Amino acid sequence: MSARDAILSRLRANRPAGDFPLPEVPAFAPLVGDDLVAEFTERLAKMGGRVEAAGGPADPFAPVRHRLNGAAVIASAVPELSGNRDLAMVRKPGDLADVDVAVVRARFGVAETGSVLFTEGDLIVNSVAYLAQHLIVLLDPADLVVNIQAAYRRSEFGQAAYAVLHTGPSATADIEGVLIHGAQGVRSLTVLLLPRGAPGA
């Protein structure tokens, strides 16, 4: 038995008897307007990210083509774009430290915070969302929810083994207020609004 299995076994054996339902999440009034794409775009921009509309059917990735063309190593977790680093063949998370651009699809976005959610199924290797220099995130506008309370009601939180919300690129600021992006993670995060199953995608 592995250490993980042993720990989980002990936790199950010592779990208090009885039913302990999760607390109800209140439905707070939305702090955003009806145009969820515009609200999401504005909030992501405040966090250092940006939103681009997909290009035409001939090249949906046209708005981010300059980033892709300048990359030596591209890790793609989406069928819409082929990379040159096969995530399925990665053995150790650190093996992705040389990735220039990672392309992933968000399960959904949150308009109120400008956040996108990934699960382990979306990323294939979780570390790709942190070790890549630049992150291109495909998001179907139909997958936007209004706020965090609506996000928590989504089934992903109960079904996924791993779920993480990203809001813009990595950033840190020193005592003098100098903001630096990419200090501890991706240097840029671009959301490409590309519907699932879009023509040309």
Side-chain angles (χ1 to χ4, degrees):
M1 178 182 291
S2 70
R4 176 181 180 276
D5 291 336
I7 291 169
L8 291 175
S9 178
R10 288 187 194 130
L11 287 172
R12 290 186 191 102
N14 290 286
R15 182 180 183 274
D19 187 22
F20 301 95
L22 294 173
E24 283 292 321
V25 177
F28 293 109
L31 299 177
V32 297
D34 293 335
D35 188 342
L36 297 188
V37 171
E39 299 283 2
F40 175 84
T41 300
E42 178 185 342
R43 282 156 179 78
L44 179 59
K46 288 179 179 177
M47 298 304 292
R50 70 178 214 260
V51 173
E52 298 280 0
D59 185 10
F61 290 89
V64 293
R65 185 60 61 189
H66 66 286
R67 181 76 73 198
L68 296 169
N69 290 344
V73 180
I74 299 173
S76 176
V78 300
E80 293 92 343
L81 181 80
S82 296
N84 55 14
R85 176 64 55 82
D86 187 352
L87 289 169
M89 300 302 293
V90 173
R91 294 292 169 253
K92 296 180 295 186
D95 290 345
L96 297 173
D98 63 343
V99 172
D100 296 306
V101 177
V103 184
V104 299
R105 181 173 281 281
R107 192 58 57 105
F108 60 82
V110 183
E112 187 178 85
T113 60
S115 306
V116 288
L117 182 125
F118 308 122
T119 68
E120 77 282 0
D122 304 316
L123 298 174
I124 302 176
V125 180
N126 295 346
S127 64
V128 75
Y130 306 94
L131 295 182
Q133 292 293 306
H134 305 280
L135 196 58
I136 296 172
V137 181
L138 309 187
L139 176 66
D140 189 330
D143 289 333
L144 281 169
V145 299
V146 66
N147 57 20
I148 290 293
Q149 289 75 40
Y152 282 144
R153 289 190 176 88
R154 295 275 301 223
S155 61
E156 288 84 352
F157 287 103
Q159 296 173 354
Y162 175 87
V164 61
L165 287 162
H166 278 226
T167 309
S170 166
T172 188
D174 66 15
I175 198 165
E176 295 177 2
V178 177
L179 181 65
I180 300 170
H181 284 114
Q184 301 157 338
V186 297
R187 291 164 51 201
S188 74
L189 186 149
T190 304
V191 171
L192 188 64
L193 297 177
L194 182 63
R196 297 177 188 273

